[in-house]
Every structure is written in structure tokens, then in C-alpha cells.
Amino acid sequence: MAGLQYAGEYKLKELLIHTSSGNVLNLTKATQSIDIYEAIFRTGLSGSLTILDVDDIATNGPIIGQEYLTIKFTTPSLDKEELSLFFAINKVTVREAISQDTQLLALSFVSPEILRDKRVRVSKSFTNTIDQIVESIIKDPRYTNSNKDLYIEPTAGIRKVVCPNLHPYDFIKNLMMEAITVKDNSPYFFFFENLKGIQFKSLNRILSEDSIGSFFVGDIKPLENKSVDHQSDFERALEFQVNSNNDILLNTLGGMLGSSTIKYSIYNKSYERLRYNYFIDFEKFPRMDDNPLYNDNEIDKFSNMLEVLEMQKYIYTQLLEMVHLILHTQIQHHLTVMHQTKS
């Protein structure tokens, strides 16, 4: 890693702010810090930018939280691999004078798709697999209109759904809760964005991918011969926390250990009983930890075990699914009548 002074060092090649008035401000040299955040529980990237303003660009630009941001940077040891990102500035977080002719600007920015999502709504019926519906919504110029790389895992089953005037990402989140994979019928999907693109993947798919590296928690090693081990610095986690949720009372009340669901169809006048057992169903899907949180030992003097008790019962009606089907049929009929009338 020749040329690298410390882990996390980057070289900012260009930072441009495109104002709503049409001006383009080159603030590469005025930039003090940039932070970019991504997470599998967030539908878009976000970040913050700190600028040292000596030309009163906040007024002359002006910068009002309605601008677009272009960033280009590289790693000093990998100059040929340039990363170019495009964001929408959504907020002027701080504007504070630090001297007579200098002020500090802190701006917040997000992926442009996040702002676009809040400005449009989807009112349409769909007949397709969930992965194809998600892809069409993200690419459709009327909705998200994104040209970023998509990583969408194939889903099983043709669905007939109606989107009742929802924001695109809200509708995709609803579909995410109903999607199952083609490969192993896994129901645990995530919808998020990272630097690679927009992702719609199952937890099983994420866990089956190769790891990008190993990290450890510990103190900085003492320097030997005054040399810096950049590789060790990259592999050191900045923060580490273990969240423990082993509350057997809450898990019992929530149906985590065992439950019984009655699925009732008003339209077909039929019902189906579905039973869930934590220990029996534990091996159905891949997990990060092969060991269950609890064991199946006896829990009382009657030789009962956690796995034989139906801790929670639910009743699930298919009324909403039938409403979607009826609305879908009515919309298709309406479109057919309009087409015949025009002909």
C-alpha cells in the first residue's frame, strides 16, 4: 500500500455543487470532511459534508438545500480506480460564522432516488413475479427512474397486486414482506442501497456470498521499526457492540418459540392451520449461528418442553388478497373497455 499514510485515507479529486439557479461551484479545496453512510436497513445512501466558506457561497450560490452534489475520489495507492458519486443535498444543517470573513457550512445529502420517491406515487395493478415488479418500478421514468446497477434476486410465483397510491419505495417494502426466493423459498428479504447499486436480496443470499474481509476489535499494535501496518489498521473495527435480546417472556408472548396460525379464506370458504415450531423449523433456512438461542429441555414438572407448546395463536384472513384481486380485475376490465372505445 505504497503512498498510503493511514487507513481510510482518500484523495478528493473533485467536488461540485450544482445549485438550483444553474451555477456550478467547485468546492474541492474548501471541503473539510465527507461522511457517507450505508446500511441494509436503509433504502438509500446518505451523508454529510463540511465546507469552509470564505466567499459567502451560501448566499451567492445560493445554497438552500435544493442542490445536487458530484463527488470524485480515489485511494492514494489505487489512483486508477476512481469512484464517482451523485447525491441530492436535502438540508443545510449548520451555517455558523467562525471569523469575520469565514463561515462553516454543514450539508446533509441523500441518494436522488430518495427525494424522487417522496414526490411520486404509484397507482397501478401488476401481474408478474415480485422481482420483476420491483425492477419495473425502480426503472420506470414515472416512478423512481433510476439508472443505477440493480442486484435483484429472483422470486417465486406470479402475483396479482394493486398499488393503492403509495410511494414507490413503500410499495416495494410491502412486496418485500411477501417475497420468497426461487431457490429455497426463503422469505427474509432486504431492500437497500450501497455503493455498488440498489439491492433486493434475501438474507440467505447475503449470507452465502463471500466475505469481503475479517475484522477484529483491539488496541492499536505498538509500532516496530517505526513502520505502519496499514493492513491491520483496515481490519480493526472502529466500534463493536453485542445486542442481547434473550428475553424468554417477550419471545414467548411474541410467538417466537411456537405459534399456530389459522389462514381463513372468506372467498373460498376454506381454512388452513399452519404451525410454527422454533426447534423443528430451525434447520429450514441457513443461519449465521448453528446453535439455537434456547434448548429443548423440560421446563416444568409435567415434562413439557418449549417445542410442544403453542405459545401464540393468530387468525389470518385472505380478505385483503381478495380485494387486490377484485381491484385488479376491475382495472383490467376498465382498460379493455377504454381500448375498445378508442378502436
Side-chain angles (χ1 to χ4, degrees), residues 37-234:
Y37 308 100
E38 63 178 40
I40 62 174
F41 300 107
R42 294 184 179 181
T43 54
L45 300 176
S46 62
S48 60
L49 169 67
T50 304
I51 299 171
L52 201 61
D53 182 10
V54 296
D55 298 317
D56 197 17
I57 58 175
T59 302
N60 299 328
I63 297 179
I64 57 177
Q66 196 180 346
E67 297 75 33
Y68 288 96
L69 175 67
T70 303
I71 306 174
K72 294 181 180 180
F73 57 88
T74 62
T75 302
S77 59
L78 303 170
D79 290 334
K80 295 183 179 180
E81 298 183 12
E82 181 180 277
L83 184 61
S84 180
L85 301 174
F86 184 70
F87 294 101
I89 297 175
N90 65 300
K91 183 180 180 182
V92 180
T93 309
V94 176
R95 182 178 178 181
E96 181 180 349
I98 58 177
S99 68
Q100 186 175 359
D101 56 355
T102 305
Q103 62 181 341
L104 187 69
L105 290 180
L107 309 176
S108 296
F109 55 84
V110 295
S111 299
E113 289 82 1
I114 297 296
L115 292 184
R116 171 73 178 173
D117 173 70
K118 300 305 179 185
R119 294 170 179 165
V120 299
R121 290 181 179 270
V122 181
S123 295
K124 183 182 177 181
S125 64
F126 298 87
T127 303
N128 212 329
T129 58
I130 288 181
D131 61 297
Q132 292 297 320
I133 296 174
V134 171
E135 182 176 353
S136 66
I137 292 174
I138 294 176
K139 290 184 176 181
D140 197 317
R142 296 172 297 175
Y143 306 134
T144 308
N145 191 28
S146 176
N147 58 0
K148 293 180 179 178
D149 294 334
L150 302 181
Y151 299 86
I152 300 179
E153 183 175 358
T155 59
I158 301 295
R159 301 298 304 274
K160 293 183 178 181
V161 293
V162 175
C163 181
N165 199 36
L166 297 176
H167 295 296
Y169 279 7
D170 290 338
F171 181 48
I172 291 176
K173 289 178 182 178
N174 291 344
L175 295 175
M176 179 183 71
M177 303 302 295
E178 302 180 14
I180 58 175
T181 62
V182 172
K183 184 178 180 180
D184 51 16
N185 292 328
S186 173
Y188 309 113
F189 267 79
F190 290 89
F191 176 53
F192 61 96
E193 181 186 351
N194 57 19
L195 294 178
K196 294 181 179 179
I198 298 176
Q199 318 270 341
F200 186 81
K201 293 180 178 179
S202 67
L203 179 61
N204 288 6
R205 176 69 175 273
I206 295 174
L207 295 179
S208 64
E209 295 176 350
D210 295 334
S211 62
I212 61 174
S214 299
F215 299 88
F216 64 91
V217 179
D219 298 329
I220 300 177
K221 297 179 180 179
L223 298 180
E224 297 179 2
N225 300 325
K226 296 183 179 181
S227 61
V228 180
D229 188 355
H230 295 304
Q231 186 63 34
S232 297
D233 289 342
F234 273 114

